[in-house]
Amino acid sequence: MQRRSFIQAAGAAAATLGVPGVFAQEWPSGPVRIVVGFPPGGGTDALARVVAQKLALMWNQTVIVENKGGVAGVLAAEYVATQPSDGSTLLMAHINSHALAPSLQPKLRYDVQRDFVPIVLVGVTPNLLIASPTQKAVTVKDIVALCAAEPGKVSFGSAGAGSAQHLALEMFKLQAKVDAMHVPYKGSGPLLADLMGSQIQYSFETMTAATPHVKSGKVIGVAQTRLKRAKGHPNIPTMQEQGFDGFEATTWYGLAGPGKLPSGIADKINRDVNTVLAMPDVQERLDTYGAEDGGGSRDKFAKFISSEIDKWARVVKDGKVKVDA
């Protein structure tokens, strides 16, 4: 029922607009904001800026990336849900706000299915298990042994309680049968600064945010969390290759609008973002970040979000994961 109602909601905006093509032709008539639920320096911010730069050229309009960090991306989603449905404010939707929060936060102030129109999936990335530059345990086997020897003391940073990094850690703890210390931050930027400074030891960070620091040698890449290796990191083995069969914890990003966004505007943004994602220089950037499988129809994105809501609801239930509301 949940999936069906969400997919219906994805197309419901059409009913509010008799001539969607007229709106699409006139839009955008002013600046467009893409709201990101994390501070600058993180993966969501990086991908939003890649897309925004290209859309600004295509539309001959200013496209602003606006950072509203807090509650692992939930504050930004709450904000966009209340904005006018005229296309002037969009959300870089994220696994945290659109797939994890519905299960983790019973007092959520928005309904993913009712209050948002899914527009287009931008990309799906593995997380990277990364280590601070001073760590000696830099294989999954050695990290498991360290956690077993020092239960509850080995520190793993995340972009916030209830974030994708946090849930990847919980999945790791369940499968490895170990305990570890979760250290939540307000975004990937401050997390990475502390990891590079060895104030925390590890993180299941988004590949988008972690990649520049792995490439520069400021942090150590240990494992990636999709079943296949990402093109941008062919030399870093997966968790599955290191003994964690079936371990897959991704982070994904996509554009969404407020719940009554007219279908004509949503369709135009979808077409234009698909054009952007196919550009060779953009594809090169996405490959570097490990962002794959983006693009496609609005319906594809709606179905994907529904499947992610169901998947992580099971993980939260089985792992008895709770966060402060």
Side-chain angles (χ1 to χ4, degrees), residues 7 9-10 58 77 87 96 112 118 125 172 184 196 222 241 259 274 277 301 313:
I7 294 168
M58 291 179 68
N96 294 359
V112 171
T125 74
F172 167 73
M196 288 185 281
V222 177
E241 290 175 88
N274 271 289
L277 296 178
F301 190 28

Side-chain angles (χ1 to χ4, degrees), residues 38 43-44 71-74 93-101 104-105 124-129 156-172 182 184-185 187-188 191 203-208 225 247-253 308 311-312 315-316 321 323:
F38 303 92
T44 318
V71 197
V74 169
H94 188 276
I95 181 176
N96 294 359
S97 60
H98 275 56
L100 304 183
L104 288 168
Q105 300 191 30
V124 181
T125 74
N127 291 336
L128 273 183
L129 174 55
F156 286 73
S158 82
S163 65
Q165 299 96 321
H166 178 196
L167 268 290
L169 169 61
E170 296 297 335
M171 185 181 288
F172 167 73
H182 173 225
Y185 288 81
S188 293
L191 180 166
S203 177
F204 282 93
E205 180 54 276
T206 65
M207 183 173 281
T208 315
T225 63
F247 192 100
E248 186 165 41
T250 64
T251 298
W252 51 263
Y253 317 82
E308 284 284 287
K311 169 186 173 179
W312 288 106
V315 172
V316 168
V321 182
V323 300

Side-chain angles (χ1 to χ4, degrees), residues 190-255:
L191 180 166
L192 286 162
D194 274 7
L195 188 73
M196 288 185 281
S198 296
Q199 292 169 300
I200 54 173
Q201 294 166 276
Y202 301 99
S203 177
F204 282 93
E205 180 54 276
T206 65
M207 183 173 281
T208 315
T211 289
H213 308 293
V214 172
K215 298 288 189 184
S216 68
K218 293 178 181 178
V219 299
I220 301 168
V222 177
Q224 48 185 301
T225 63
R226 289 192 88 178
L227 301 183
K228 62 179 181 178
R229 298 189 188 191
K231 295 177 184 177
H233 290 274
N235 298 321
I236 297 180
T238 65
M239 292 288 290
Q240 178 161 285
E241 290 175 88
Q242 297 190 61
F244 278 64
D245 188 47
F247 192 100
E248 186 165 41
T250 64
T251 298
W252 51 263
Y253 317 82
L255 284 178

Side-chain angles (χ1 to χ4, degrees), residues 30-83:
V32 176
R33 294 184 297 159
I34 299 177
V35 179
V36 170
F38 303 92
T44 318
D45 179 76
L47 286 184
R49 292 182 188 278
V50 170
V51 172
Q53 182 182 31
K54 295 294 187 179
L55 291 178
L57 294 173
M58 291 179 68
W59 295 340
N60 195 29
Q61 280 288 353
T62 301
V63 180
I64 302 164
V65 174
E66 184 173 320
N67 300 88
K68 288 186 177 292
V71 197
V74 169
L75 289 184
E78 289 179 347
Y79 171 76
V80 173
T82 66
Q83 295 304 294

Side-chain angles (χ1 to χ4, degrees), residues 290-302:
E292 300 175 353
D293 303 326
S297 69
R298 292 169 53 200
D299 186 59
K300 169 192 169 181
F301 190 28

